[in-house]
Amino acid sequence: MPELPEVELIRRELEPVMRNARIERVVLRRANLRTAFPNRFAARLEGATVVAVSRRAKYLIVPVSSGETLLMHLGMSGSFRVETAAAGRDYGHLERHDHVVFDMSSGRLVIFNDPRRFGFMDLVPAGELSTHPRIGSLGLEPLSAAFGGAALARACAGRKISLKVALMDQRVVAGLGNIYVSEALHLARLSPERQASTIATPSGLPRDSAHRLGAAIKLVLERAIARGADTAYRGGRFRVYDREGARCLRRGCGGIVRRRTQAGRSTFYCRDCQR
DNA sequence: CAAAGCTCCTGACCGC
DNA sequence: TGCGGTCAGGAGCTTT
């Protein structure tokens, strides 16, 4: 389930392949993912040159020379792979769930595969990106300078939902998902069950917990990106996520990692050190 | 308005 | 071995 760090790593992989290359052909192998592809999706992209490959939250944002911007989300199971195009532009080798192929003038094929089809693609005029329904209501980028304890406190003030559920809300912070929410709360020593408003004063100012959480979110995301960039660190990546029943890894804490469900999603946490 | 519940979809997993 | 049932999960939509 790609969250911000995974999407950022994908962005870094795709950028050298797509940027400044022309989209020679787009092969659409079905009419929809979760929702229909926009009208004339392939035709509107073909012949255009990719201007940039950027990211906002978990979205890949690809402006092209026609003035439109390709907006993509990987959903739950979406992935890209890059192949070298076969002679004669043959797409016969494609696999099950390969739904979209971007055939680039760089001689590469960028192939989108998504078994569960929770992914999303749209094409919007560049000027309308900031008001696009998927983008317009997103909260701050957690790795931006503007994001931190103060911003978090403002976003959580008065909210009666749990802290876990608040952090999953893309309007509160943009780009966290189920894994990194659990990881950040553990690092910040905050219970996922705590009411979101408790990190702020009644007037919305940050308490110490808000600062800890803001810093933890940044650190967890930065580490994940750094680790991904260096494949030597694979395995045992998470401190609490998917570790139900195992020992809490916090130094000096003898707790056991618990699992519970909040808003239909699994939460992993240690009752002993997360308050 | 906020919050909770439902929905989409397939692969993995479980018990028989 | 095969089969049916259950579950996970991002985010928009619907309901309360």
Side-chain angles (χ1 to χ4, degrees), chain A residues 93-112:
Chain A
H93 65 294
L94 292 176
E95 296 168 16
R96 191 152 129 84
H97 307 307
D98 284 347
H99 304 311
V100 188
V101 180
F102 300 98
D103 186 340
M104 308 300 298
S105 61
S106 57
R108 301 303 196 93
L109 302 180
V110 175
I111 301 168
F112 179 70

Side-chain angles (χ1 to χ4, degrees), chain A residues 155-168:
Chain A
C156 289
R159 304 291 303 269
K160 296 193 183 302
I161 50 174
S162 69
L163 198 46
K164 155 73 188 295
V165 172
L167 294 181
M168 292 291 288

Side-chain angles (χ1 to χ4, degrees), chain A residues 2-275:
Chain A
E3 301 183 23
L4 188 154
E6 291 75 30
V7 178
E8 175 58 24
L9 290 165
I10 291 166
R11 187 199 72 73
R12 292 178 188 185
E13 186 189 333
L14 295 185
E15 183 170 42
V17 174
M18 299 185 83
R19 192 166 115 91
N20 293 331
R22 193 174 56 246
I23 302 172
E24 301 282 4
R25 201 177 151 204
V26 175
V27 181
L28 253 200
R29 303 180 74 228
R30 55 177 301 128
N32 66 295
L33 293 173
R34 189 176 179 216
T35 57
F37 284 95
N39 288 334
R40 300 179 58 252
F41 179 75
R44 285 158 67 185
L45 286 169
E46 285 171 350
T49 297
V50 170
V51 173
V53 179
S54 54
R55 180 191 59 74
R56 171 83 169 100
K58 301 174 199 171
Y59 290 89
L60 286 167
I61 307 231
V62 183
V64 301
S65 59
S66 65
E68 294 203 284
T69 294
L70 172 61
L71 181 59
M72 303 189 280
H73 193 290
L74 302 173
M76 273 294 301
S77 59
S79 64
F80 284 95
R81 70 175 193 279
V82 176
E83 295 184 355
T84 299
R89 305 228 112 81
D90 171 24
Y91 309 112
H93 65 294
L94 292 176
E95 296 168 16
R96 191 152 129 84
H97 307 307
D98 284 347
H99 304 311
V100 188
V101 180
F102 300 98
D103 186 340
M104 308 300 298
S105 61
S106 57
R108 301 303 196 93
L109 302 180
V110 175
I111 301 168
F112 179 70
N113 182 286
D114 185 8
R116 294 183 200 182
R117 302 209 305 275
F118 278 20
F120 170 83
M121 288 194 192
D122 200 2
L123 213 40
V124 295
E128 293 174 21
L129 190 62
S130 61
T131 56
H132 188 282
R134 292 274 195 143
I135 300 294
S137 55
L138 289 173
L140 287 174
E141 273 300 307
L143 296 180
S144 69
F147 176 81
L152 257 184
R154 253 177 276 127
C156 289
R159 304 291 303 269
K160 296 193 183 302
I161 50 174
S162 69
L163 198 46
K164 155 73 188 295
V165 172
L167 294 181
M168 292 291 288
D169 185 337
Q170 301 298 297
R171 296 168 298 187
V172 173
V173 206
L176 295 182
N178 210 38
I179 294 173
Y180 293 106
V181 165
S182 278
E183 293 298 305
L185 286 169
H186 181 256
L187 184 59
R189 308 191 315 275
L190 295 172
S191 169
E193 302 178 304
R194 172 199 268 260
Q195 190 168 295
S197 61
T198 61
I199 66 167
T201 66
S203 51
L205 294 174
R207 297 186 191 276
D208 180 58
S209 52
H211 291 301
R212 288 208 318 268
L213 185 53
I217 288 169
K218 284 180 191 268
L219 196 55
V220 158
L221 297 176
E222 281 164 359
R223 278 184 190 158
I225 293 170
R227 215 172 10 229
D230 177 357
T231 48
Y233 282 91
R234 289 290 162 141
R237 293 192 296 155
F238 306 126
R239 311 269 299 171
V240 278
Y241 185 80
D242 207 18
R243 294 190 63 245
E244 181 183 16
R247 244 314 82 88
C248 174
L249 292 175
R250 169 171 276 103
R251 211 171 269 291
C253 175
I256 297 293
V257 177
R258 315 268 170 180
R259 175 195 179 194
R260 60 158 295 185
T261 300
Q262 292 178 286
R265 298 303 176 270
S266 299
T267 301
F268 298 88
Y269 68 115
C270 172
R271 267 195 228 144
D272 291 11
C273 66
Q274 291 180 253
R275 298 294 174 162

